[in-house]
Amino acid sequence: AKALLQKANRQVESGNARAKPDASLYTAVLNACAFTKGSRDNRETALAIAQEVEAELHANQSLCWDSIFANTLFQVYGYLIRDESERSRLSSGLFERCCEKGLVSRQLLSTLRKFAPSVYSGLGNTKKGEVHFGNLPAEWSRNTKRTRK
């Protein structure tokens, strides 16, 4: 997946504007990283690639993150970062960016709950620590298909 992204970027650099990668290609690379199996070295390489992709998409002003990209990035953190405090730290920062960008969806909350429970529980708006999507600020999901229930 990374090779395909690199090829598309080389095509753009050589003047083929139609080859410009979109957010879905970046998400596909993240997805491949998230589900990398094998040795510790393989997983560390996958994490490094995912972090490069995140930085590249963040730096590219003409591409916008979407909730699918963010959700996949949470999966990368969840599957590839074994240290819970590091995973929580990165997930907390990512969640803040998602709130700022209006990308918090039900699916994203579900993924956050699975992979960063300490971040998720900090959002609790009931006595049991559960998060009710409809009680979250609408601004957090302004760029998603938000349905209140």
Side-chain angles (χ1 to χ4, degrees):
K2 181 182 178 186
L4 183 60
L5 179 60
Q6 290 172 330
K7 183 178 180 179
N9 283 328
R10 282 192 304 273
Q11 286 288 316
V12 171
E13 289 170 7
S14 67
N16 183 359
R18 295 185 319 153
K20 182 178 178 184
D22 61 9
S24 64
L25 182 53
Y26 286 91
T27 301
V29 175
L30 286 184
N31 194 59
C33 292
F35 293 98
T36 296
K37 305 292 184 216
S39 70
R40 181 179 180 177
D41 285 344
N42 285 352
R43 292 189 314 273
E44 287 176 356
T45 298
L47 179 60
I49 290 169
Q51 289 172 327
E52 288 173 27
V53 166
E54 177 187 8
E56 187 176 326
L57 187 60
H58 185 70
N60 189 334
Q61 298 298 320
S62 65
L63 288 174
C64 294
W65 283 30
D66 60 17
S67 62
I68 297 168
F69 178 87
N71 189 67
T72 307
L73 192 52
F74 277 117
Q75 290 176 330
V76 166
Y77 294 167
Y79 287 127
L80 299 179
I81 299 175
R82 298 290 182 228
D83 180 76
E84 188 175 335
S85 64
E86 178 68 2
R87 185 174 58 243
S88 181
R89 183 185 69 77
L90 289 171
S91 295
S92 180
L94 176 57
F95 185 74
E96 287 177 18
R97 289 192 307 265
C98 290
C99 292
E100 290 167 7
K101 294 176 180 284
L103 300 177
V104 178
S105 65
R106 290 178 190 280
Q107 180 62 43
L108 190 135
L109 285 177
S110 177
T111 303
L112 184 68
R113 181 180 185 180
K114 179 178 180 179
F115 294 118
S118 62
V119 177
Y120 178 86
S121 65
L123 302 172
N125 50 19
T126 69
K127 291 179 184 176
K128 294 181 181 180
E130 289 297 311
V131 176
H132 290 272
F133 185 74
N135 292 341
L136 295 175
E139 184 72 10
W140 288 6
S141 59
R142 70 186 177 279
N143 293 315
T144 66
K145 294 179 182 174
R146 182 182 175 104
T147 54
R148 290 191 178 261
K149 289 185 181 178

